[in-house]
Amino acid sequence: MIRLPIFLLFLGSGIAGLVYQVVWTKLLTLVFGVSLLAVSTVLTAFFGGLALGSFLGGRWVDRRGNGFLWYGVAEAAVGVYALIFLPLLSINNAVYAGIAGYISASFTALTLLKFSLSVCLLIIPATLMGATLPILSKSLARARGRFAKDVGGLYAVNTIGAIIGAVATAFVFIPALGLKTIIIAAGVFNILIGGAAILIGRMDKADGAADENAPQPRAKAGVGDVPGPFARLIVWGFALSGFTALVYEVIWTRIMGFLLTGTVYAFAAVLAVFLTGIAGGSLVFSRFTDRVRSKGTLIIVLAAVEALIGVSSIALITLYDRLPSMDFYSRVSTPVWSEFVLVNFLTCFVTLILPAFLFGATFPLVCKLYAGADKRTGSRIGNIYSVNTVGGIIGSFAAGFILIPAIGMQKTIILMGMINAGIGMLFVIRSPFAGLKTKYAFLAVSAIAVGAASFTLPENMPLAIHKGFLKTGEDIVFYKEGPAATVMIAERTGKGLAASNKRLWVNGNRATAAYYEGLQINRFQGVLPMVIHPGPKDVLVICFGSGTTFGTLSQFPVRRVDNVEIASTVIEGAPFFKKENADVLHNPVSRITIDDGRSYLSATAKKYDVITEEPMHPALSGVVNLYTREYYELARAHLKPGGVMSQWIPLYNVSVEDMRMLVATFQSVFPHTTVWLANADIFMIGSPERTEIDLERLTERLAMPNVAALLKDIDLEDPYEFLNTFLMNEDMTRAYAQGAPVMTDDMPTVEFTGPKSLNVNTISPNIAEFLKYREPLVPYLAVPARFNRSAVLGGLERKYAAGRYNLVGRAYFADKNYPAAAEWFRAALQIDPGNRNSLHYKQIILF
């Protein structure tokens, strides 16, 4: 028996398996979208294949034997499939685009199409991967005296491999290699694993029969198969436990997103810690399970583990509530990258390790009670693994689409905790080996423990976490937990603009605000492309936020303005921004589609005069899909001749290097790119030809009463002030971006470099860099004869000169160097006493 090489090979299988899961899911959701339903659809296809493979693999090996050989064949086949995955993916994407356009983007039809194509693409490799555990268990765990140790050990080392795969993929592989190279490397790795296992299988073929016929170590007294009805109860209880595990994981991941900012590293930390707990629990419990002499004791231990899962998960609610006040957590906003990563992992470890450890402990216990070391070991291990996986699939769907929207996260955790405790109680009640006293005692202790854990719970833990985001004087006016996002809106009344002070959070991340700076960028984004395009009629807005950009665009004489928003709860909060977004929900020209923006463009045949884009910060997980070259090519394909694309990028929390990369990526698709700057954000306008601004058209459109009213609040209703936001035309934009790498779907760099700047002030260095390339608008301005050309140019030159001082003042203001900022704002006002932005900051600094 060659245990160590097999364990090492199965460790490698775990590494490759997680790499495939992460990379394949990411590649599929580039077309299908990153909405919860789209991601769940892809993962359901993947985990459904694992369940099917586990079910079939156990039966296959029971009939044919020599599991090492078949394990090697399965691993090699997965590797071969990985090598041809990319061509198959291209065919898959082309089929999706073709059929989606034909069925006119019906939501239900598209969901079924995504699921069907995901199944077609993933079912073969996922089935092969799912088959490996029962196949190996059959051949490795031949001795009853060490059955749980072998099976639990296999499960543990495979899970340890998954931990390595999860962390390495996020922190090393994708940033360094790109998605396509990773798939090919993983495929070769799998083929090597398969080849090594086939060699072991050939060596073991001769000894295998002898080994199975050899005298087995004498089983401990009383250990054997449990009665059939109770065995089936164990299996279905394990399936229900898998259901609760995935419900918890969905909720824990979202809560960690609130607490840690939803970066790819935060989610990698959640997954790594969860898998670490599972591996640890399986490894620890598999070491002693074989030594337990009594079936009744094993059942009590399994029942206690399930009850403790429920009790600990409920108790964690209080810990989450108190976590923001803990000393180590206060370092989550550190600008030191290594410390930031450490706090991410430590936060996840403190909160998740105990229930994850207990979930891991259930596997060897269930295997020992249900499977045993006999001729049907493969089938039984397959049954256990497959039903647990199916339970997990159902749990992930139920959590996002039923439980969270219906009763909220906290009540869902409590419900799942009670189910886990109930599973434990049911095991004891139905146990044929437990006496009445034992049953009553277990029921009493479990009920008391659940009650004690529930006694000190906060009223609403997720809401309490969100309250920690509020500033003094703010009150929550809207809070909703939904399938794709938890949304909060807070308002501070009686201050600032007539439009009020409101802020919007989506999944714990600041999305937008309805005070001066937030309104300025949202409304500017809505007006800018509409004054550049000669006659826009059909407009598309990607992302909703407060609806301010969407509402601003709808104020122009257009035929239709479409909006695509991924989270329905964001739309539900729109009435609270009714004044700011011009009541866009009731505007007859507006249409809203709940979908991922990229997925929508992949499915629709519509073309637009203007497309505007204002997603979340590019450093957040999944958002980078709306900043890559392939995405911009998709958007350009949906522009009519002469169409205009507008893209927002924040100056804050984006390094100078990442900013150059983002600009270079946009310009690689739109060579005629101009850059405009409002507040601490830039807006790139991509157009089919060299940009020329028509002063007459701009003046007329800014003078429209409804548009002028929206711009007056943000000091941009004056044409000269509006034009002074111009930063660079295409030549200087090209010079600025020269040498910067272009971000692609294969190498989504900013998703991995961006989080390093989330706690760093990057506004001032970005402004300093842009000032080197800033140029006046005058050469690109068409001034009709009816205007006094010299007066126009003189006014713009004065604004341009004052604008430099204003930008330097904004940089110092961002650095909180208010005396220096005041000095530069004063200089701007000496040149241009009417400089509205400098006057705004004068009111704030009081100089």
Side-chain angles (χ1 to χ4, degrees):
M1 182 70 67
I2 310 174
R3 280 189 170 82
L4 180 59
I6 287 296
F7 275 96
L8 291 175
L9 292 178
F10 210 42
L11 177 75
S13 297
I15 295 172
L18 233 293
V19 169
Y20 290 137
Q21 180 186 331
V22 171
V23 175
W24 288 348
T25 300
K26 188 167 183 63
L27 286 172
L28 276 168
T29 52
L30 287 172
V31 174
F32 293 167
V34 294
S35 68
L36 180 62
L37 182 57
V39 174
S40 295
T41 296
V42 172
L43 290 178
T44 296
F46 185 82
F47 285 107
L50 293 180
L52 179 63
S54 182
F55 181 80
L56 297 177
R59 282 153 178 77
W60 177 278
V61 75
D62 279 344
R63 294 190 183 100
R64 289 165 179 82
N66 199 351
F68 299 144
L69 174 64
W70 294 116
Y71 165 69
V73 170
E75 288 291 341
V78 171
V80 171
Y81 192 90
L83 297 181
I84 63 172
F85 181 83
L86 292 173
L88 294 176
L89 178 67
S90 297
I91 296 171
N92 179 283
N93 294 346
V95 170
Y96 174 75
I99 298 178
Y102 179 77
I103 61 179
S104 303
S106 161
F107 179 78
T108 302
L110 283 180
T111 300
L112 292 174
L113 177 62
K114 290 173 184 179
F115 178 73
S116 301
L117 291 176
S118 298
V119 169
C120 290
L121 196 61
L122 299 179
I123 192 66
I124 293 175
T127 299
L128 291 168
M129 285 189 276
T132 56
L133 179 62
I135 285 175
L136 273 187
S137 297
K138 171 71 174 181
S139 294
L140 191 66
R142 294 169 179 165
R144 183 178 293 276
R146 55 177 296 131
F147 177 78
K149 184 177 180 180
D150 285 338
V151 174
L154 282 173
Y155 186 69
V157 298
N158 191 252
T159 306
I160 291 169
I163 298 165
I164 297 170
V167 174
T169 301
F171 284 84
V172 180
F173 294 159
I174 297 179
L177 302 175
L179 301 175
K180 295 177 182 177
T181 301
I182 293 171
I183 290 177
I184 294 170
V188 172
F189 183 53
N190 255 119
I191 291 172
L192 293 175
I193 291 173
I198 289 171
L199 288 176
I200 293 174
R202 287 179 175 174
M203 289 188 299
D204 187 70
K205 190 173 182 181
D207 335 328
D211 194 49
E212 287 187 359
N213 294 326
Q216 299 290 324
R218 192 173 67 173
K220 301 293 184 182
V223 176
D225 291 336
V226 297
F230 189 75
R232 287 190 289 273
L233 175 65
I234 289 175
V235 173
W236 291 113
F238 194 51
L240 190 55
S241 183
F243 172 87
T244 65
L246 263 292
V247 172
Y248 288 133
E249 188 176 354
V250 168
I251 296 174
W252 290 338
T253 301
R254 186 175 291 191
I255 292 171
M256 286 295 105
F258 302 157
L259 294 168
L260 300 175
T261 308
T263 68
V264 65
Y265 299 111
F267 296 134
V270 172
L271 183 58
V273 170
F274 190 69
L275 292 173
T276 298
I278 288 175
S282 181
L283 198 59
V284 169
F285 274 72
S286 66
R287 306 299 291 181
F288 79 82
T289 298
D290 288 316
R291 302 173 189 171
V292 177
R293 296 178 178 274
S294 163
K295 293 186 284 275
T297 301
L298 276 180
I299 293 168
I300 291 292
V301 172
L302 176 60
V305 167
E306 284 289 351
L308 283 172
I309 289 172
V311 172
S312 63
S313 298
I314 294 172
L316 274 176
I317 295 172
T318 301
L319 179 59
Y320 284 125
D321 183 58
R322 296 177 181 175
L323 188 65
S325 63
M326 295 182 180
D327 289 340
F328 82 90
Y329 177 78
S330 65
R331 299 299 299 165
V332 76
S333 58
T334 175
V336 181
W337 175 241
S338 58
E339 189 176 354
F340 175 78
V341 172
L342 179 62
V343 173
N344 272 254
F345 275 96
L346 185 58
T347 301
C348 293
F349 187 87
V350 167
T351 54
L352 301 180
I353 194 65
L354 178 57
F357 178 88
L358 294 169
F359 271 117
T362 61
F363 185 74
L365 290 167
V366 170
C367 286
K368 183 68 176 180
L369 286 166
Y370 175 73
D374 61 21
K375 294 181 179 180
R376 296 188 59 201
T377 293
S379 299
R380 290 177 175 176
I381 295 293
N383 291 344
I384 292 168
Y385 191 68
S386 61
V387 298
N388 186 259
T389 303
V390 170
I393 294 169
I394 299 171
S396 65
F397 264 100
F401 297 104
I402 301 172
L403 295 170
I404 293 176
I407 62 176
M409 284 180 274
Q410 178 159 317
K411 290 181 180 178
T412 298
I413 292 175
I414 295 170
L415 176 61
M416 293 303 106
M418 291 180 174
I419 289 175
N420 284 118
I423 293 170
M425 293 178 187
L426 187 59
F427 284 164
V428 173
I429 292 171
R430 298 294 301 276
S431 172
F433 309 104
L436 283 177
K437 289 183 179 180
T438 301
K439 294 180 179 182
Y440 289 146
F442 188 91
L443 292 177
V445 170
S446 298
I448 291 170
V450 170
S454 306
F455 184 71
T456 59
L457 294 181
E459 183 178 348
N460 188 329
M461 171 266 296
L463 178 59
I465 292 174
H466 277 74
K467 287 180 178 179
F469 304 146
L470 300 178
K471 294 180 178 179
T472 302
E474 285 185 325
D475 295 310
I476 297 174
V477 295
F478 176 81
Y479 175 82
K480 183 69 177 292
E481 297 172 17
T486 297
V487 174
M488 180 178 76
I489 300 171
E491 180 176 17
R492 179 166 50 181
T493 56
K495 295 178 69 67
L497 302 170
S500 85
N501 275 266
K502 298 190 189 79
R503 292 197 295 159
L504 170 69
W505 287 262
V506 178
N507 284 334
N509 296 293
R510 288 173 295 175
T512 190
Y515 46 78
Y516 181 87
E517 290 80 6
L519 279 176
Q520 189 177 69
I521 62 172
N522 291 150
R523 289 181 177 168
F524 181 75
Q525 166 86 321
V527 173
L528 179 61
M530 303 301 279
V531 299
I532 290 177
H533 193 284
K537 293 299 179 185
D538 296 296
V539 179
L540 173 64
V541 185
I542 303 292
C543 305
F544 188 91
S546 65
T548 302
T549 300
F550 186 28
T552 301
L553 287 160
S554 70
Q555 299 304 298
F556 289 86
V558 296
R559 180 166 43 237
R560 179 164 172 165
V561 183
D562 289 333
N563 177 268
V564 181
E565 168 56 47
I566 199 169
S568 59
T569 40
V570 171
I571 306 300
E572 291 179 51
F576 292 91
F577 291 100
K578 182 177 179 179
K579 187 170 184 178
E580 292 81 1
N581 62 36
D583 196 17
V584 68
L585 296 186
H586 295 99
N587 191 312
V589 302
S590 66
R591 299 288 188 278
I592 296 174
T593 299
I594 303 299
D595 198 358
D596 172 87
R598 184 163 176 160
S599 176
Y600 172 84
L601 286 175
S602 298
T604 187
K606 296 178 184 176
K607 295 202 172 185
Y608 297 92
D609 299 300
V610 169
I611 298 177
T612 72
E613 171 102 349
E614 198 174 335
M616 297 287 282
H617 197 285
L620 300 180
S621 182
V623 179
V624 75
N625 291 352
L626 299 179
Y627 289 90
T628 65
R629 180 178 62 195
E630 289 84 354
Y631 170 70
Y632 293 137
E633 289 171 344
L634 180 63
R636 185 183 63 185
H638 285 79
L639 286 174
K640 296 179 183 179
V644 170
M645 172 84 175
S646 175
Q647 171 73 58
W648 163 86
I649 299 178
L651 300 188
Y652 56 87
N653 306 133
V654 176
S655 69
V656 170
E657 295 75 19
D658 285 351
M659 179 64 70
R660 287 164 57 87
M661 189 187 312
L662 291 165
V663 173
T665 301
F666 186 84
Q667 195 186 51
S668 71
V669 177
F670 296 99
H672 302 286
T673 295
T674 59
V675 179
W676 305 67
L677 191 152
N679 190 46
D681 308 80
I682 65 166
F683 298 86
M684 297 182 294
I685 297 292
S687 57
E689 62 247 344
R690 193 174 181 87
T691 301
E692 184 178 73
I693 310 301
D694 187 306
L695 181 61
E696 185 165 21
R697 180 170 65 232
L698 181 140
T699 302
E700 288 176 354
R701 292 183 183 173
L702 294 186
M704 294 169 55
N706 49 349
V707 174
L710 293 177
L711 293 178
K712 187 174 182 180
D713 280 339
I714 56 171
D715 296 330
L716 287 177
E717 79 278 13
D718 176 67
Y720 294 100
E721 290 286 343
F722 191 93
L723 290 170
N724 199 40
T725 60
F726 178 83
L727 189 64
M728 301 182 298
N729 207 312
E730 61 183 78
D731 297 327
M732 295 305 287
T733 302
R734 190 174 296 109
Y736 167 81
Q738 188 172 9
V742 171
M743 190 164 59
T744 64
D745 289 345
D746 180 54
M747 189 73 80
T749 309
V750 173
E751 186 169 31
F752 301 92
T753 58
K756 297 179 181 180
S757 300
L758 280 176
N759 296 318
V760 179
N761 176 19
T762 61
I763 294 176
S764 51
N766 273 311
I767 288 178
E769 192 67 19
F770 278 123
L771 281 171
K772 299 175 185 177
Y773 298 90
R774 182 173 179 254
E775 60 179 339
L777 175 66
V778 171
Y780 315 106
L781 185 67
V783 183
R786 71 179 186 85
F787 288 86
N788 183 327
R789 183 175 180 81
S790 102
V792 169
L793 298 185
L796 288 174
E797 287 171 2
R798 184 174 63 255
K799 292 285 184 187
Y800 177 76
R804 179 177 182 83
Y805 291 93
N806 175 265
L807 286 174
V808 176
R810 287 194 229 174
Y812 278 116
F813 185 86
D815 287 337
K816 298 184 179 180
N817 186 342
Y818 301 125
E823 181 181 344
W824 285 89
F825 288 135
R826 270 194 295 265
L829 290 170
Q830 286 176 357
I831 298 171
D832 177 21
N835 186 283
R836 298 281 290 277
N837 193 257
S838 294
L839 289 171
H840 168 73
Y841 282 103
K842 180 179 180 180
Q843 290 180 336
I844 295 175
I845 302 176
L846 299 177
F847 63 86

